[in-house]
Amino acid sequence: MKAAVITFPGSNCDRDLACAFAEMGAEVTRVWHKDDALPAGTDIVAVPGGFSYGDYLRCGAIAARSPVAAALRAHAARGGLVLGVCNGFQILTELGLLPGALMRNAALRYICRPERLIVASTDSPFTAGYALGDAVTFPIAHHDGNYVIDAEGLARLKAEGRIAFRYATNPNGSVDDIAGVLSENRRVLGMMPHPERAMGMTGAQESADGSAFFRALCAAMTAA
Amino acid sequence: MQEPQITQDLIAAHGLKPDEYARILEIIGREPTFTELGIFSAMWNEHCSYKSSKKWLRTLHTTGERVICGPGENAGVVDIGDGQAVVFKMESHNHPSYIEPHQGAATGVGGILRDVFTMGARPIAAMDALSFGLPGHEKTTHLVKGVVEGIGSYGNCFGVPNVGGEVRFHRSYNGNCLVNAFAAGLAETDKIFYSAASGVGMPVVYLGAKTGRDGVGGATMASAEFDDTIEEKRPTVQVGDPFTEKCLLEACLELMDSGSVISIQDMGAAGLTCSAVEMGDKGGLGIRLNLDAVPQREANMTAYEMMLSESQERMLMVLKPEKEAEARAIFEKWDLDFAIVGETIPEDRFLIVHGNTVKADLPLSKLASSAPEYDRPWVETPAAAPLGALPEIAPIAGLMALIGSPNHAHKAWVWEQYDTQVMADTLRRPGLGAGIVRVHGTEKALAFTSDVTPRYVRANPYEGGKQAVAEAWRNLCAVGAEPLAATDNLNFGNPEKPEIMGQFVGAIKGIGEACRALDFPVVSGNVSLYNETDGKGILPTPTIGAVGLLRTADEIIGGLAAEGDAAVLIGTRGTHLGQSALIAEAFGMEDGDAPAVDLERERRHGEFLRAQRAHLRGATDLSEGGLALAAFEMAEASGVGVTLDDSDIAALFGEDQARYLVAASPADAEALVAAGKAAGVPVSIIGRFGGDAISLGGDAAPLTELSKVFRSAFAQALGL
């Protein structure tokens, strides 16, 4: 199972994501944003959190136009798996791989804290390890995580069961408490919370729910 | 362009005293050029030269078995075993933050991060110790919002977890807030980079962002008192770009890995001037700079402006000439400027050329070493009058006065605006004693804390200085860490006043004494003087930042209690209410002496606690607010009540030192008492955790009610 983690200038969760995949047995390659191809045999592309291009212009907007974007689009078009976390989610919406957009948090402040999420769909390789309605705790850390989508789009997401995670208590004003959404073919997931920050380290007084996320994802990929 | 004439006014505007100017004339034997005057003023201001403090800083304890590099470099370096080192420092950005809170605080964070990665260390933790004026003061809310936002915007984007700090409010900071930023990084012991240049004819390379006019004269501004012309000083505050800094970090670490770097120095205060002089002086070499080659953001910049610009995210490096192409490629990859701007020369000269004209030609070593050094007159702080009779207060009312004050309320409003978990190694976030971060890819972890109680230092600088060190040491012990070393950020008023200088001297003596007794060397630091507005000084605030080591994460002592646990006090029953948080918050009194610190006892109790970790579920140190506040905080974080049996106000709120509160199962509590007897450490079971009330000597209130106050008081007091 091969995971490719993209680094943009300003990415700062690329190492964290790479470690989480490696810990679950994936073969991880780091990809530089100026590369125009992904490593052969890539199963999943991970788009990390951070401040790609300093969040200048609009979060994710410049990254979505960087050289690696074409390869990422092609990978998704082939039905390849793509995971975008935090800034990665913002980039995926800017790329048009996921619907909607991430606006400034309702309180207009950056928020970092563990947040309880409810699994809203189990029909994806990312969430197949959960039962519907399961609660997991992942940290959030963002200034622009307020998910917006028009009424028609929201109705579609709901009808097609493409809302992967909802916040138990909405921290940022996201419509319908949405924390993560799936693409139409359910192979692309974008989410604001950070599963890679909840890997259950010894001594941490925090959640270990992230290791279950990556374990299930890696198992799903190996099985496929 | 014609440079201005040197006049008395111009000299004074550069913050140079007449005797200092006379010294310049003596050194160079002629009138300086305008650019040279600027260079001298940048090198000789208090901020860069430590001219008032040097004599006393030399008395600090700065060495130890684990110390690889003490004060004098960009940051201190301490061995943590396995070929690894922790590199850390704390530095103030007080005046810029008062003038422009967002950018001032942000660039403070940027500066300290650069100090750490300049030495080859990847930053892994940050903290911020903040002091503001009273919540009701017209500037305070604006400053708190701006400073917190600024710290967050820089650190979050750069990608370093913020794991601790302090926030306090006192009227003495109304006109002069304090922003003390700490950063720590991880390096390999055989890959530490220093600033001393070596080799003649080596290229001097400029790295990072372009040079603009921002911050010209910033270091001189930071060394002046404030008055009502403060608004005019806004243009001297630099503007930060954390995105560039993140790229600069990655490029520098790649460059260092490639073996191209002979020496490197970040451009902080007084930018190009300070960094170039530092590299040349430490290497016993001269430096020639060609300013035409400096990457510039603005048109028509003069030599004076370029030499004094404090534009952020810049580095100066001496490069191995054969590695130029490789080094250039790394910087091009990260889209950063890379320019050869000069070379090392054998003679003792600092030669600045711009547009084929010599703008400065100074003896380099004299710039660094001949800065004036003052033995400023000082007077011993008079002994504090003993604490008189106090008004009556019920225990719960006392606790409410504390938790309802923004000084002691829950500060999630602050730390939730900081990324506390990026890098995915955070083992303990802010809010429960020292922060803890795993050493990536190992079993080890590092603990971080910052402490000082300024009221103590004012009442008794010597004991207050000792206490700041002891509390930092205690906070590290409370999480199970072995205290390694400290950094000091000494914030005081105008040193030209003997009573202020007396505070400084007393505090330094106390810090030195405590560090020697606890074998806890000071490996880096920063002095910020002239923290005064309209002649009124701040509370003396020597912030101590400190680092401890955990060999495995299993050594961590938790911070929480469980239903049914015994509450155990390690240390003596509380008696000392002088300068306590209780009398300050409940009665508005700042009277009496600071608590005395018995360093031998401090060490014994701390070592006892760490040795008994198998018997502890959770521990916390006792500091401001005494036993009652510590018990409340532990109970509140654990979601259980607590009952303390003692009803005596001094026992509950006294701030005697060398004490810890522990939560342990009843059987473990008995074992602790027995172990205490054997070790000669006072250990007593003083209550129990459980239920849903906070009960202090029979006076009780529901936990949920108090919790609500505790968690809302900060935002409420500041109108956030």
Side-chain angles (χ1 to χ4, degrees):
Chain A
M1 206 266 299
K2 282 188 170 173
V5 178
I6 302 179
T7 299
F8 298 94
S11 294
N12 62 28
C13 303
D14 43 344
R15 185 189 78 178
D16 309 353
L17 260 182
C19 289
F21 275 108
E23 205 175 310
M24 292 305 148
E27 182 189 321
V28 182
T29 314
R30 308 288 288 271
V31 175
W32 180 236
H33 75 116
K34 288 179 187 170
D35 295 351
D36 47 16
L38 295 168
T42 295
D43 295 303
I44 184 166
V45 179
V47 188
F51 291 67
S52 58
Y53 295 93
D55 276 357
Y56 292 131
L57 186 58
R58 200 170 56 234
C59 301
I62 304 178
R65 284 149 186 86
S66 71
V68 79
L72 178 57
R73 261 183 226 282
H75 172 83
R78 281 195 302 272
L81 289 167
V82 180
L83 169 65
V85 175
C86 201
N87 187 224
F89 185 12
Q90 294 163 343
I91 294 167
L92 295 183
T93 62
E94 286 287 341
L95 274 164
L97 293 177
L98 290 171
L102 284 312
M103 307 279 287
R104 189 124 287 205
N105 295 342
L108 305 180
R109 284 197 302 272
Y110 184 96
I111 308 169
C112 175
R113 61 172 178 240
E115 209 57 71
R116 223 158 66 92
L117 310 176
I118 306 299
V119 177
S121 164
T122 56
D123 182 14
S124 84
F126 305 95
T127 52
Y130 298 117
L132 209 60
D134 274 359
V136 292
T137 299
F138 296 152
I140 59 165
H142 58 247
H143 210 152
D144 300 84
N146 180 355
Y147 185 74
V148 292
I149 189 167
D150 59 17
E152 199 183 323
L154 178 63
R156 233 188 113 192
L157 285 182
K158 283 170 144 174
E160 296 171 5
R162 285 164 55 193
I163 298 169
F165 297 101
R166 282 198 175 89
Y167 298 108
T169 311
N170 195 328
N172 54 24
S174 289
V175 62
D176 202 34
D177 304 327
I178 290 174
V181 296
L182 293 159
S183 61
E184 215 174 311
N185 68 358
R186 325 188 79 78
R187 306 284 289 170
V188 180
L189 169 67
M191 59 194 294
M192 289 311 295
H194 290 269
E196 80 280 14
R197 294 189 185 184
M199 299 298 285
M201 292 177 292
T202 321
Q205 292 181 335
E206 301 288 350
S207 154
D209 294 339
S211 37
F213 175 92
F214 286 99
R215 190 174 303 120
L217 178 57
C218 290
M221 280 191 285
T222 314
Chain B
M1 203 184 93
Q2 189 68 40
E3 291 198 331
Q5 289 290 316
I6 307 297
T7 62
Q8 290 305 322
D9 284 351
L10 193 66
I11 293 163
H14 280 76
L16 289 162
K17 305 269 152 75
D19 57 317
E20 292 173 346
Y21 184 69
R23 195 181 184 115
I24 292 173
L25 295 180
E26 188 186 318
I27 288 172
I28 63 175
R30 59 176 166 80
E31 183 176 81
T33 66
F34 180 56
T35 303
E36 287 172 340
L37 185 71
I39 290 172
F40 271 107
S41 88
M43 291 302 299
W44 285 8
N45 65 58
E46 191 66 55
H47 186 83
C48 293
S49 73
Y50 294 90
K51 60 191 170 191
S52 298
S53 56
K54 232 191 269 176
K55 170 185 159 85
W56 296 100
L57 295 176
R58 283 193 203 102
T59 67
L60 288 171
H61 171 58
T62 58
T63 55
E65 221 168 274
R66 289 180 179 274
V67 177
I68 295 174
C69 174
E73 281 289 335
N74 286 296
V77 184
V78 178
D79 197 328
I80 58 167
D82 314 305
Q84 293 180 305
V86 59
V87 177
F88 64 96
K89 187 181 178 183
M90 191 171 226
E91 193 162 88
S92 61
H93 228 214
N94 303 337
H95 287 171
S97 300
Y98 189 79
I99 296 172
E100 212 306 290
H102 183 113
Q103 289 299 340
T107 52
V109 174
I112 197 69
L113 289 168
R114 235 165 14 254
D115 277 336
V116 164
F117 73 78
T118 304
M119 300 202 68
R122 178 177 287 280
I124 59 164
M127 298 191 285
D128 297 278
L130 312 176
S131 304
F132 297 104
L134 288 177
H137 186 267
E138 53 176 6
K139 294 276 277 185
T140 301
T141 297
H142 158 77
L143 290 172
V144 170
K145 275 174 138 169
V147 164
V148 170
E149 213 179 76
I151 289 169
S153 74
Y154 208 100
N156 298 347
C157 177
F158 180 85
V160 62
N162 196 307
V163 298
E166 306 172 273
V167 185
R168 73 174 61 80
F169 300 89
H170 188 275
R171 64 180 177 283
S172 75
Y173 307 108
N174 278 351
N176 194 128
C177 63
L178 303 184
V179 175
N180 294 177
F182 169 98
L186 188 66
E188 290 170 43
T189 49
D190 59 354
K191 285 193 187 137
I192 310 283
F193 289 83
Y194 297 99
S195 52
S198 73
V200 169
M202 297 295 164
V204 174
V205 182
Y206 172 112
L207 308 170
K210 295 185 196 308
T211 295
R213 292 194 172 90
D214 46 334
V216 171
T220 306
M221 173 272 288
S223 306
E225 282 179 44
F226 281 162
D227 52 30
D228 48 16
T229 63
I230 182 167
E231 284 301 319
E232 296 166 16
K233 296 194 165 101
R234 197 188 297 269
T236 58
V237 178
Q238 320 85 320
V239 178
D241 177 6
F243 168 63
T244 302
E245 178 119 323
K246 166 70 173 164
C247 295
L248 187 61
L249 161 75
E250 299 299 341
C252 283
L253 293 184
E254 264 185 51
L255 192 65
M256 289 163 168
D257 246 3
S258 75
S260 326
V261 180
I262 294 175
S263 76
I264 185 161
Q265 173 74 30
D266 80 298
M267 292 191 223
L272 200 48
T273 295
C274 238
S275 54
V277 170
E278 186 97 11
M279 291 173 96
D281 179 57
K282 286 197 171 138
L285 292 164
I287 303 263
R288 178 186 192 282
L289 293 179
N290 170 21
L291 297 185
D292 299 297
V294 169
Q296 293 158 49
R297 197 184 333 123
E298 297 173 58
N300 304 319
M301 288 190 68
T302 64
Y304 177 90
E305 288 167 334
M306 276 189 264
M307 291 311 292
L308 296 191
S309 162
E310 292 191 1
S311 289
Q312 298 288 293
E313 294 90 27
R314 301 179 302 157
M315 293 275 191
L316 204 62
M317 175 184 79
V318 177
L319 179 73
K320 290 182 186 161
E322 70 276 15
K323 295 273 193 177
E324 186 192 326
E326 198 179 335
R328 191 181 287 276
I330 291 170
F331 272 73
E332 276 168 5
K333 171 185 164 189
W334 288 97
D335 297 317
L336 293 167
D337 271 300
F338 177 101
I340 295 183
V341 296
E343 60 173 347
T344 55
I345 51 178
E347 57 272 32
D348 181 16
R349 278 173 95 181
F350 190 43
L351 189 59
I352 309 300
V353 180
H354 187 215
N356 284 324
T357 317
V358 172
K359 293 292 182 182
D361 186 355
L362 299 168
L364 187 144
S365 64
K366 289 266 164 39
L367 272 174
S369 61
S370 299
E373 187 178 329
Y374 296 119
D375 183 1
R376 300 222 185 256
W378 59 280
V379 292
E380 192 104 29
T381 303
L387 185 62
L390 294 173
E392 295 266 321
I393 191 164
I396 291 293
L399 181 64
M400 282 290 279
L402 293 175
I403 64 178
S405 148
N407 279 309
H408 306 287
H410 196 248
K411 301 199 175 66
W413 187 91
V414 175
W415 73 66
E416 284 186 355
Q417 294 188 59
Y418 304 152
D419 195 335
T420 51
Q421 285 165 304
V422 62
M423 302 183 91
D425 283 318
T426 303
L427 297 179
R428 191 176 298 177
R429 293 185 296 130
L432 266 181
I436 305 179
V437 167
R438 184 174 63 164
V439 176
H440 190 72
T442 74
E443 287 293 299
K444 291 181 292 194
L446 292 165
F448 302 97
T449 185
S450 87
D451 300 280
V452 63
T453 312
R455 279 192 315 273
Y456 295 174
V457 187
R458 182 179 57 188
N460 186 334
Y462 177 69
E463 288 298 329
K466 274 165 69 183
Q467 196 277 340
V469 174
E471 189 181 336
W473 196 85
R474 204 181 307 147
N475 259 314
L476 296 174
C477 289
V479 299
E482 176 197 349
L484 288 180
T487 177
D488 58 358
N489 196 154
L490 309 169
N491 309 274
F492 289 80
N494 181 348
E496 293 164 43
K497 297 180 184 168
E499 61 278 21
I500 299 286
M501 199 59 206
Q503 292 177 338
F504 183 80
V505 171
I508 287 266
K509 286 181 177 172
I511 290 167
E513 175 62 22
C515 287
R516 270 185 296 276
L518 297 170
D519 193 16
F520 195 39
V522 173
V523 295
S524 57
N526 164 249
V527 179
S528 171
L529 301 174
Y530 298 97
N531 288 292
E532 301 209 349
T533 303
D534 297 331
K536 274 185 273 179
I538 57 160
L539 285 185
T541 312
T543 311
I544 302 295
V547 180
L549 175 66
L550 296 132
R551 274 168 205 80
T552 73
D554 295 331
E555 287 187 354
I556 294 176
I557 298 172
L560 300 178
E563 179 80 31
D565 277 350
V568 181
L569 175 67
I570 294 178
T572 54
R573 184 170 182 245
T575 59
H576 188 97
L577 285 172
Q579 297 299 340
S580 65
L582 177 76
I583 69 166
E585 301 293 353
F587 311 134
M589 291 168 66
E590 297 177 11
D591 298 349
D593 199 355
V597 183
D598 178 336
L599 294 162
E600 188 276 326
R601 188 187 292 172
E602 196 71 58
R603 181 191 268 273
R604 194 151 33 91
H605 294 187
E607 285 172 355
F608 175 80
L609 182 87
R610 285 172 47 225
Q612 298 297 322
R613 60 164 59 80
H615 292 302
L616 315 176
R617 189 186 319 276
T620 181
D621 82 305
L622 299 196
S623 54
E624 278 191 290
L627 180 61
L629 185 59
F632 168 78
E633 284 180 352
M634 194 184 249
E636 205 270 348
S638 314
V640 299
V642 66
T643 299
L644 300 180
D645 300 325
D646 211 325
S647 63
D648 180 63
I649 289 295
L652 287 168
F653 295 99
E655 297 182 3
D656 307 64
Q657 300 293 298
R659 303 194 304 155
Y660 300 86
L661 173 67
V662 161
S665 71
D668 280 325
E670 293 300 338
L672 281 172
V673 171
K677 260 193 199 118
V681 172
V683 179
S684 41
I685 299 174
I686 45 134
R688 65 216 66 84
F689 290 95
D692 51 15
I694 302 294
S695 173
L696 305 175
D699 189 12
L703 171 62
T704 48
E705 220 170 83
L706 296 178
S707 180
K708 203 185 270 172
V709 172
F710 180 56
R711 288 186 181 250
S712 60
F714 187 88
Q716 220 161 47
L718 290 155
L720 296 165

